[in-house]
């Protein structure tokens, strides 16, 4: 990120609906599962997201997922869209997760946005802390 940009945080909660997609005919039984994602954001980011996820999990609670979400909404009075890329790993229950804004994916008033999306789940509620920067208008 450019040195002249100021980092900000947008925090809140979101709901997610995960819809499994039927595997293609003849797909291997151990092929990654594919899911459609639909999210609604509340708090400092007001908007929605639509995306897709591929995931795999072993009986030993080890696995991985990758996903892309196109987020559309308003942050700090600026309306537009951007894409998030997810990379999640689990090793026998220990989790590692990185969700970042895809460089160059910002549109509208969110053109030039960069940052990291931190996700926590507490008591079944999804919380986000989007650490981001935007060029000044």
């Amino acid at each position: 990120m450019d040195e002249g940009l100021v980092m900000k945080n947008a925090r809140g909660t979101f709901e997610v609906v995960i819809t499994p997609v039927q595997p293609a005919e003849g797909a291997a039984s151990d092929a990654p599962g594919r899911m459609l994602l639909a999210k609604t954001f509340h708090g400092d980011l007001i908007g929605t997201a639509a995306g897709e996820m591929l995931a795999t999990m072993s009986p030993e609670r080890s696995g991985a997922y990758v996903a892309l979400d196109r987020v559309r909404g308003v942050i700090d009075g600026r309306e537009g869209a951007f894409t998030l890329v997810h990379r999640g790993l689990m090793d026998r229950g220990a989790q590692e997760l990185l969700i970042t804004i895809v460089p160059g994916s910002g549109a509208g008033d969110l053109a030039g946005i960069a940052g990291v999306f931190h996700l926590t789940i507490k008591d079944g509620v999804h919380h986000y802390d989007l650490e981001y920067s935007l060029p000044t208008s």
Side-chain angles (χ1 to χ4, degrees), residues 75-129:
I75 302 172
D76 199 21
R78 295 173 71 164
E79 185 173 355
F82 57 91
T83 300
L84 293 172
V85 59
H86 304 235
R87 175 191 174 272
L89 294 173
M90 184 179 286
D91 186 359
R92 294 178 303 278
Q95 297 181 18
E96 177 185 314
L97 179 60
L98 177 61
I99 306 171
T100 57
I101 295 174
V102 174
S105 68
D109 295 337
L110 300 178
I113 192 169
V116 178
F117 185 97
H118 303 282
L119 165 66
T120 56
I121 302 172
K122 295 179 185 167
D123 298 324
V125 177
H126 290 72
H127 297 264
Y128 68 87
D129 180 350

Side-chain angles (χ1 to χ4, degrees), residues 1-75:
M1 290 179 227
D2 295 346
E3 292 179 24
L5 298 178
V6 176
M7 294 303 293
K8 295 184 175 186
N9 290 79
R11 296 181 180 100
T13 61
F14 68 97
E15 293 91 36
V16 60
V17 175
I18 300 173
T19 305
V21 175
Q22 286 297 104
E25 188 174 326
S29 61
D30 59 352
R34 182 172 158 233
M35 286 134 279
L36 300 179
L37 306 172
K39 298 177 181 174
T40 303
F41 294 94
H42 310 281
D44 297 332
L45 164 60
I46 302 293
T48 59
E52 292 193 35
M53 174 172 63
L54 292 174
T56 185
M57 182 66 74
S58 75
E60 297 80 31
R61 296 185 58 219
S62 294
Y65 91 94
V66 293
L68 290 171
D69 283 316
R70 186 67 175 166
V71 178
R72 298 180 191 285
V74 177
I75 302 172

